[in-house]
Structures are given as C-alpha cells and as structure tokens.
Amino acid sequence: MSRKLVIPGELVAEGDFKLENGVYREDNKIYSSVMGLLDIRGRTIRIIPLTGKYVPKVGDFVIGIISDIEFSRWYVDINSAHSAVLNSSDYFRDIDPFQTDLSKILSLGDTIYAKVREITPRKKVYITMQEKGARIIKKGKVIEVTPTKVPRIIGRKGSMLSMIKKKTRINILVGQNGRIWLDGSPEQTDLVTKAIEMIEREAHTAGLTDRVKNMIISEREKK
Amino acid sequence: MKVGEPERLIIDGKRLDGRAFDELRPIKIEAGVLKRADGSAYLEWGGNKVMAACYGPREVHPRHLARPDSAILRCIYNMAAFSVSDRKRPGPDRRSVEISKVTREALEHVVFTHLFPRTAIDVFIEILQANAGTRCSGITAASVALADAGIPMADLVPACAAGKVGGEIVLDLNDVEDNYGEADLPVAITPKKGEVTLLQMDGNFTREEFEKAFKLAIKGCKKVHKIQKEALRKKYGGT
C-alpha cells in the first residue's frame, strides 16, 4: 500500500470530494496544504501528515503536564499549539472551589492521562478526568515522540503496542499527543525506549512489528 | 570609478562569472536540518548561505499580540557578524527590520493562519554568508522550513531577483553585479496562481525594461520552486 507524497500547493484531485485534514478547494480543484501522504477513500480526501504539531481531536487520550492553576481550573500543557483547560468539575463532579485548594489535588508539574472532551470553534481545548482510564501519573517515565508517528507505535488495532507489552511486561500509556508513559524496571524501561526510538526512526518501513519483536528478543538474550 | 569596480560587467555576451543572462547561480536546499526547531531548512544559493528555522504554532508571548481569530506570523531576518567581508555590526538595523517585514508579508499570504487562533508562528532567518540576493534566499528557505514544520499553507513561496547590469536585463544578480549594476528587482510569487507576494526595486528601469526583468524574475522563481519541491521530497523519502 503505497501512498503518494504531496507537498503544499500540489493538485491532488478535481471534482466533487469531501475534504478532510490537509486539503483545500479552489474553484473545482483540490490542493494539498501540508507535507504528507495522500489518502483517498471513496469520495473523501485527506492528507496523512508526516510532520507537525499535535492537533487535538475530541475523544483522544493525551498525557498532559499541569502548567497553571486558577480558582476553579487547571491549565495543562498537552504538547500542542494551545494549552488545554481542565475544569475542576471535570476532575471530580462535586468539587467546591471555595472549599478546596486545587493545588493540593494537582500541583504544577503533575502529569495526567486525560481525555479531550470538547474543542470550541475558537480552538479552546477542554480535557476531562471523568472518564474510564483517565488517571494521575505518579511514577515511571514519560518520553516524547513526533505526534505524527503515534499511530505506528500503536500499530494496526494495537498490534505493536500489545506485542511490546507482552514481550516486556511493562505498563505503557500512549497519549495521542506524542507523550508515552512507561512504568517498569529500569532495564525494561530502557529496552522499550529503544524499541520506540526504532519505531520512530523506521516508521515508514514495512514489516516493522516483526523487526521490533526480534530486536527485543535479541536484547533480552544478551542479558 | 571605485576601487574593485570591474571595467565592464558584460563581456562577449556573458556575465563576469560566466553565466548566461537568464541563468541562476547553483542552488542547494536541505530540509529539516535542525533537531530542536519544529521545521528548518538550509540553503546555499551561489555564495549565499542561509539557515531558516520555524517554530509553532505556539502560544504567543507577549500575550497582547495574540489575535483571537488567527495566528500571527513573526519573521526575523538577521545577518551574522561574519556574513560579509567587513564585519557587520550585530543586531537589528534599518535594513534587517525592513527585510523582516517584507519577508513576513511575502509568507503571510499563503499560511492558513485562521486554523490556529491565538497562536504565533515564528520564522527565523539567519544569513551565514551573504553574496547579494539574501532576501530572496531567505524567503525561499523560510518557505521550505514552514512546510517542514507541517504548517498548512496554500503554496510554497519561491523568490528570485532580476536586474539590469551593463545595459542588459539579467537574472539573479551576484555580489559585483548588485553593487555596480544599474537596477535590482527581487520578486516572490505563489507558483500555482502566479500571485506576486514580494516586489521591490532598487535602481531605475524604463517601463519596457521593467516588464522584461519582471518576466525573467518570475521564470527564475519557477525554477527555484522546483528545487524547493525536490528538497522536501528528498527529506521525506518520496519519489
């Protein structure tokens, strides 16, 4: 499955299409607006970006770091163009900001795994902890990768991720914003970091899952 | 006649560096050379060496500059102290502030700023070595850096100058031609629609000469555009 590489301003199609990410229409012609791979499915066109910052999407899980605290909300750095807002009611429904010091719950620099709840038309991003799976991250290590490579780290239907988990017995949480949390023994953490670096470097190649698997096995045998 | 001025700029229908009238200097562009920037490009254009870096979209500091409905584009053009034969006094001056402004306006036209309200996109252009035509080199490199950063834009922006040297209309002036020639005309375009996003003129043309130089510069821009596209293709491993 090879997709065509496109450059901003390149003509990708003509006629009646539904436009998604990375394309724009002028007259009846459709052009790309970002560097990426052209993906046409039926009558919808999008560009899979190869570079760029994380663009939040409703429903994404992200790993964020608390960057500011106000009376009834936190500001969270989510490695994107805008920092996200976590309202106190999105942390715990019955929180009373008059009675509680929010910094006692989450203080500056704390790391959370939360879900994008809403994005307003003016691109304000609201995240929530009132969601199954959302949690505060207290131990382990967070590494950063290029956000556009995250789908490759997860693999098709999570194949890559479940393989790594099975082979190393480590806790992993992948944020769509390119932050990855690893929790395990130092040796295992280093090994997985190495595997993720390899995925990031060779993201465009085929048969990657098997090669990463072999790498993990051979590294483990060395010890 | 000043010291260093050549007797003639055109000898036997050729320029001093052996180029034909409509020939560019050799251009080399490499995308994504800086690890810590969101996007970057290194460009060599004849004797010019230019590094462009792009950051963003990111939050705006100072805050009051932010626009509620779109991103702001900020460009800084800077010449290194060692970029010219007499040491250039470091820091912004009248000339670099002007070039920063025209560069911003040349690029602003294509960037989809409405997609990133309340953010800033920063572009830094460093001239490491100058040999005439640095504003065109800067715009060309900056536009590759923007594409490398994954910022949505309508088109790339190539730039190229034409001028009048020894009574002839020529493309892409070099150092000597720029200093002792009669006129210089830097142009930046959006190749797809042919819009002009930069047009400046230094010196004097007649109306006919201007038309001719303008057309020549646009031809040059289109050649530069091809090199920009190749550089991006090479970086992302496409064919």
Side-chain angles (χ1 to χ4, degrees):
Chain A
M1 185 176 49
S2 76
R3 296 194 180 97
K4 195 182 163 221
L5 181 81
V6 292
I7 283 162
E10 204 168 312
L11 180 70
V12 291
E14 262 177 86
D16 189 25
F17 281 95
K18 188 170 170 282
L19 304 189
E20 282 179 6
N21 176 49
V23 280
Y24 69 99
R25 192 194 306 272
E26 217 158 67
D27 301 326
N28 207 26
K29 293 185 169 127
I30 296 160
Y31 301 93
S32 58
S33 65
V34 292
M35 285 293 310
L37 300 170
L38 178 64
D39 184 33
I40 303 182
R41 275 186 198 163
R43 303 304 288 175
T44 52
I45 295 188
R46 66 168 183 150
I47 309 281
I48 303 163
L50 288 174
T51 162
K53 287 228 159 172
Y54 169 64
V55 181
K57 250 190 4 259
V58 173
D60 278 0
F61 270 95
V62 294
I63 294 179
I65 298 163
I66 307 292
S67 62
D68 200 2
I69 306 171
E70 279 182 5
F71 170 66
S72 67
R73 60 185 167 196
W74 292 272
Y75 285 94
V76 186
D77 164 33
I78 55 164
N79 202 18
S80 151
H82 306 88
S83 56
V85 176
L86 175 66
N87 280 322
S88 60
S89 59
D90 276 320
Y91 180 80
F92 183 66
R93 200 173 299 279
D94 296 326
I95 220 163
D96 178 3
F98 287 100
Q99 305 285 325
T100 349
D101 179 5
L102 292 193
S103 65
K104 293 246 165 66
I105 304 170
L106 286 170
S107 69
L108 291 180
D110 281 359
T111 308
I112 56 169
Y113 186 66
K115 192 177 177 177
V116 179
R117 174 172 65 82
E118 189 194 345
I119 300 167
T120 67
R122 295 250 313 275
K123 300 282 154 83
K124 282 231 178 217
V125 181
Y126 293 95
I127 57 174
T128 179
M129 299 279 283
Q130 295 264 39
E131 192 70 43
K132 204 180 154 214
R135 54 180 288 185
I136 301 173
I137 290 169
K138 290 232 163 97
K139 50 176 187 165
K141 169 181 160 189
V142 174
I143 59 170
E144 282 191 11
V145 299
T146 318
T148 50
K149 307 260 165 82
V150 166
R152 208 72 172 100
I153 287 160
I154 293 170
R156 193 166 295 163
K157 286 181 185 154
S159 58
M160 182 77 84
L161 202 57
S162 58
M163 185 277 290
I164 294 175
K165 276 181 184 163
K166 214 156 74 193
K167 291 279 165 220
T168 57
R169 276 180 250 102
I170 188 172
N171 280 323
I172 307 179
L173 287 176
V174 180
Q176 291 293 328
N177 56 344
R179 289 203 181 116
I180 299 169
W181 174 68
L182 308 171
D183 178 37
S185 68
E187 297 79 36
Q188 300 273 294
T189 309
D190 284 350
L191 182 55
V192 174
T193 308
K194 218 169 147 191
I196 287 169
E197 277 166 4
M198 180 178 168
I199 300 169
E200 203 187 357
R201 206 170 46 239
E202 302 173 19
H204 54 282
T205 56
L208 189 57
T209 313
D210 288 333
R211 263 181 295 135
V212 174
K213 193 172 170 180
N214 293 337
M215 194 276 279
I216 291 175
I217 292 169
S218 69
E219 285 286 319
R220 264 174 38 194
E221 276 165 3
K222 270 191 222 160
K223 281 163 195 149
Chain B
M1 196 161 166
K2 286 174 225 138
V3 179
E5 181 172 349
E7 232 167 89
R8 282 186 300 164
L9 288 160
I10 307 283
I11 298 165
D12 298 335
K14 284 259 167 139
R15 297 203 251 164
L16 288 182
D17 53 8
R19 279 187 292 157
F21 294 160
D22 63 347
E23 197 179 338
L24 287 169
R25 290 172 284 177
I27 303 175
K28 198 187 91 186
I29 308 178
E30 203 178 325
V33 286
L34 302 174
K35 199 171 166 229
R36 308 301 294 273
D38 292 320
S40 58
Y42 174 68
L43 171 142
E44 284 184 16
W45 182 328
N48 292 312
K49 294 185 178 176
V50 179
M51 186 74 90
C54 170
Y55 296 83
R58 61 181 179 185
E59 279 177 12
V60 192
H61 292 288
R63 271 268 159 80
H64 69 269
L65 294 175
R67 294 175 57 114
D69 58 343
S70 71
I72 56 167
L73 186 67
R74 293 187 287 198
C75 292
I76 309 254
Y77 166 100
N78 185 45
M79 283 180 106
F82 49 80
S83 64
V84 279
S85 43
D86 288 325
R87 179 184 132 91
K88 191 231 167 227
R89 199 164 174 269
D93 50 18
R94 203 212 96 255
R95 179 176 171 277
S96 66
V97 170
E98 176 200 315
I99 296 179
S100 301
K101 176 184 173 287
V102 295
T103 303
R104 189 192 75 231
E105 286 170 351
L107 299 170
E108 213 168 35
H109 180 69
V110 294
V111 176
F112 290 167
T113 49
H114 60 276
L115 295 177
F116 305 101
R118 290 174 288 109
T119 62
I121 298 163
D122 290 313
V123 175
F124 299 97
I125 299 163
E126 291 290 325
I127 309 298
L128 305 177
Q129 185 175 293
N131 193 276
T134 53
R135 73 191 68 195
C136 291
S137 313
I139 291 170
T140 304
S143 129
V144 174
L146 280 168
D148 181 50
I151 288 163
M153 48 194 210
D155 209 346
L156 293 171
V157 184
C160 184
K164 185 179 169 193
V165 168
E168 298 284 350
I169 302 298
V170 298
L171 185 66
D172 187 23
L173 309 191
N174 67 19
D175 204 7
V176 184
E177 291 170 336
D178 191 28
N179 286 339
Y180 305 107
E182 291 103 292
D184 183 21
L185 183 84
V187 178
I189 61 164
T190 64
K192 198 186 73 206
K193 288 173 91 178
E195 295 159 319
V196 176
T197 62
L198 169 86
L199 181 63
Q200 292 187 301
M201 187 167 95
D202 182 14
N204 294 308
F205 285 115
T206 64
R207 188 175 273 260
E208 292 73 36
E209 281 168 348
F210 174 82
E211 296 280 341
K212 198 176 164 197
F214 182 66
K215 275 190 190 126
L216 193 61
I218 284 180
K219 252 170 79 185
C221 286
K222 291 197 169 143
K223 286 184 197 160
V224 174
H225 184 225
K226 276 201 187 111
I227 300 165
Q228 287 179 313
K229 287 196 286 188
E230 271 164 35
L232 286 167
R233 288 234 156 80
K234 204 171 148 209
K235 160 84 200 287
Y236 290 98
T239 41

